[in-house]
Amino acid sequence: DDYHGDAAHGGLGHRYYGRGPQVPREPDDNTYGDLDWPVTPGSGSQHGEGGGVVTVEAQQSATVYGTITADGRSAGGWEGGAAGGSILIACRTLHGDAGGELRARGGTAPADRGGRVGGGGRIAVIYDPVEQQALAQPNPGVRFRTRAGSLTPAHTRYDQWGTLYLPDTIFLSDVLDEQWDEVRVFIPGFDEWQLPSLTVSGRIAFPEVRRLTVDGNATLVENAVLELFAGETNAVMPDYGMRFDVGGTLSLAADSYLVLHAEHENGAAPYVECGNLILAADAWISARARGFDPNRGLGVGSRSASHGGLAAGADESTRYGEAQAPILPGSGGSMNNERSDGRGGGTVRISARNAMSMDGTIDANAVGNLDAWGSNGAGGSILLTARQISGSGALLRANGATGGHGNPEAGGGRIALWMPYFPPSFVRKMADAPYMPSGAEIDLYTVETVSEFDGIVSSPWNDLDAELRVTGFEAGSVFFGSVTAGTLMIIR
């Protein structure tokens, strides 16, 4: 627990120092309890009790039509919310309907008091997969809730949802609706998933899925959240650590969020490939603060971090990455007095084989800390390639974090857009050589050729009317590339 209401259990709460903003801890710091057999209560806050423990062991079936709750207490005044507790149901088969609810949520706190909230709890439902599958309704529709206490939008929150453990994938389908409300789902051996189409209207995260393949269209409806996580790879600073493939159109409606988490130590990030991308106005693709942890990354300096731009007072050696192919997250700020300070912006990397239509926001901003000992993370990376990119009013940003109390500003990140679509290997070659097929002509617009560049520009490239921001103590890089190859005739 924490004096200021930073209580954790299955997920982390917010970190809070004085007047500073909420900054995430390192991912494994202060979480506890068993994923597959949760029997521990949630931690309390200054004046609030954590959620308790509910254990049900049924020799035959368990039926849930009502609510089982292990919520942490919410806060008032300057106190913070407590963490959610534990719910364990062990049975041969689970029955119920959408009126049934298992709930282990973190406590909330008043938004005008800094929003110091508790992390989500833990839920596990242990059943016999063979017997459950044999039921007329294998998925009873019982709802799962492990929300952290935050009331802020998904792209700006750093507290963590709790965990849900299931023995297999029976409850999952190509329609992920409100049955799933802010839960991180863990299933043994579930690291790849292929399905004909996908519609998300709930809020769900898959921390261990490394390959998600949708043969047709993937749609996030209004208020939906889908979170994807990269894992470690065997390569040094690999191109990506998770792949999301959509054969048709990936579309995000207003107020929906696709949240992409880079691996917090080696920098591997999710890679998204689709036929078409439609990002509606007020929709978000976010890697905000999902980059390198504090004291991690290639741009860590004595205080705040660099990436495409230098942090205040930083040495040139802390600049890293490639303007043509930004694939690395922003670095975290240095740790001072053992405090976990600013985290770098993550990586948004998307390739569309046909067209991108973007009217919403792509966010790879870093976060910092206004505490007197805090430091700031560097902006992340955005890399887009498509046959055509268009849109009106879009905002792409990879800003470095700023901080008060004399803390140095971090450096800006990197943004690159390429036309046409390139697979990952080709982008890498173009960045290294640059490599081009025979007969190709390349047009490059770099930060140096965009007039009066001050970190905010309207794209001179293709049909995209957007602002691109890579602000910081020193602005990062913006790169536009267009390749026109010669004519290819195939006679059979």
Side-chain angles (χ1 to χ4, degrees):
D1 59 356
D2 184 277
Y3 180 86
H4 289 296
D6 176 38
H9 182 203
L12 300 175
H14 269 111
R15 182 105 184 196
Y16 184 82
Y17 286 139
R19 294 181 297 276
Q22 295 77 21
V23 178
R25 295 180 188 268
E26 293 190 20
D28 296 327
D29 185 19
N30 283 9
T31 59
Y32 61 94
D34 292 332
L35 182 69
D36 57 351
W37 199 262
V39 291
T40 48
S43 292
S45 60
Q46 184 181 7
H47 294 295
E49 299 83 5
V53 180
V54 178
T55 301
V56 176
E57 296 187 58
Q59 293 183 352
Q60 296 299 324
S61 65
T63 302
V64 182
Y65 292 117
T67 299
I68 299 176
T69 179
D71 289 350
R73 184 183 292 275
S74 293
W78 285 101
E79 297 84 27
S86 293
I87 298 175
L88 169 64
I89 296 181
C91 56
R92 298 178 71 87
T93 55
L94 180 69
H95 303 256
D97 60 20
E101 186 171 282
L102 306 181
R103 202 169 70 198
R105 304 176 303 187
T108 62
D112 62 349
R113 299 291 186 174
R116 301 177 305 282
V117 302
R122 296 191 184 275
I123 298 174
V125 180
I126 312 297
Y127 52 80
D128 184 307
V130 174
E131 294 191 27
Q132 189 75 27
Q133 185 65 63
L135 297 177
Q137 188 174 352
N139 178 5
V142 173
R143 300 185 176 215
F144 305 104
R145 308 280 187 265
T146 63
R147 182 193 71 196
S150 179
L151 300 177
T152 58
H155 70 286
T156 61
R157 61 192 304 166
Y158 315 119
D159 48 295
Q160 285 182 324
W161 302 343
T163 63
L164 170 65
Y165 177 88
L166 299 169
D168 68 358
T169 61
I170 288 175
F171 290 1
L172 297 179
S173 70
D174 58 3
V175 178
L176 300 172
D177 58 18
E178 291 77 6
Q179 179 178 15
W180 317 91
D181 187 10
E182 303 192 358
V183 291
R184 292 185 293 149
V185 178
F186 293 84
I187 298 172
F190 184 50
D191 58 0
E192 293 190 14
W193 192 19
Q194 183 170 2
L195 58 167
S197 63
L198 177 64
T199 301
V200 182
S201 58
R203 301 176 179 90
I204 191 166
F206 295 106
E208 296 185 337
V209 172
R210 300 291 174 252
R211 185 71 181 259
L212 174 57
T213 303
V214 180
D215 298 329
N217 297 331
T219 304
L220 276 66
V221 306
E222 188 174 353
N223 296 317
V225 180
L226 175 63
E227 298 204 13
L228 302 174
F229 295 71
E232 295 182 6
T233 72
N234 294 327
V236 177
M237 293 298 178
D239 278 2
Y240 57 87
M242 186 275 166
R243 182 161 179 151
F244 180 25
D245 281 301
V246 179
T249 297
L250 171 61
S251 59
L252 285 80
D255 297 317
S256 67
Y257 302 89
L258 175 62
V259 183
L260 305 174
H261 296 252
E263 207 285 322
H264 61 95
E265 291 192 355
N266 80 337
Y271 167 64
V272 181
E273 183 167 315
C274 55
N276 299 283
L277 173 67
I278 299 175
L279 183 67
D282 298 321
W284 293 77
I285 299 174
S286 179
R288 181 184 176 99
R290 269 74 181 188
F292 282 112
D293 269 354
N295 236 31
R296 298 283 193 275
L298 301 177
V300 177
S302 59
R303 291 290 293 279
S304 295
S306 303
H307 182 196
L310 294 178
D315 185 84
E316 179 64 31
S317 63
T318 60
R319 191 196 311 273
Y320 64 96
E322 298 158 334
Q324 302 96 321
I327 59 176
L328 296 174
S331 296
S334 62
M335 296 179 67
N336 299 282
N337 297 334
E338 299 182 352
R339 299 195 181 206
S340 183
D341 295 316
R343 175 178 286 180
T347 299
V348 176
R349 186 174 177 187
I350 305 175
S351 292
R353 293 180 294 276
N354 296 307
M356 290 183 178
S357 174
M358 297 191 299
D359 299 312
T361 299
I362 298 180
D363 188 340
N365 283 358
V367 294
N369 194 324
L370 294 182
D371 180 75
W373 294 275
S375 61
N376 296 303
S381 293
I382 298 174
L383 172 58
L384 307 178
T385 77
R387 181 175 296 176
Q388 179 182 10
I389 299 180
S390 62
S392 177
L395 173 61
L396 282 63
R397 59 190 186 191
N399 297 334
T402 61
H405 297 283
N407 299 317
E409 295 182 32
R414 296 187 184 276
I415 297 175
L417 290 82
W418 278 99
M419 186 180 68
Y421 154 82
F422 297 134
S425 59
F426 189 73
V427 171
R428 183 82 245 185
K429 287 181 179 180
M430 294 196 70
D432 290 342
Y435 166 83
M436 285 170 288
S438 176
E441 294 183 2
I442 185 168
D443 296 316
L444 306 179
Y445 301 88
T446 68
V447 58
E448 291 80 16
T449 62
V450 178
S451 64
E452 298 181 358
F453 176 78
D454 62 358
I456 304 173
V457 300
S458 293
S459 169
W461 178 79
N462 209 5
D463 300 318
L464 177 65
D465 179 14
E467 286 189 330
L468 289 86
R469 304 186 181 192
V470 286
T471 62
F473 176 78
E474 180 183 277
S477 62
V478 174
F479 183 98
F480 303 92
S482 177
V483 174
T484 303
T487 301
L488 175 64
M489 297 182 63
I490 301 177
I491 300 176
R492 299 186 179 215

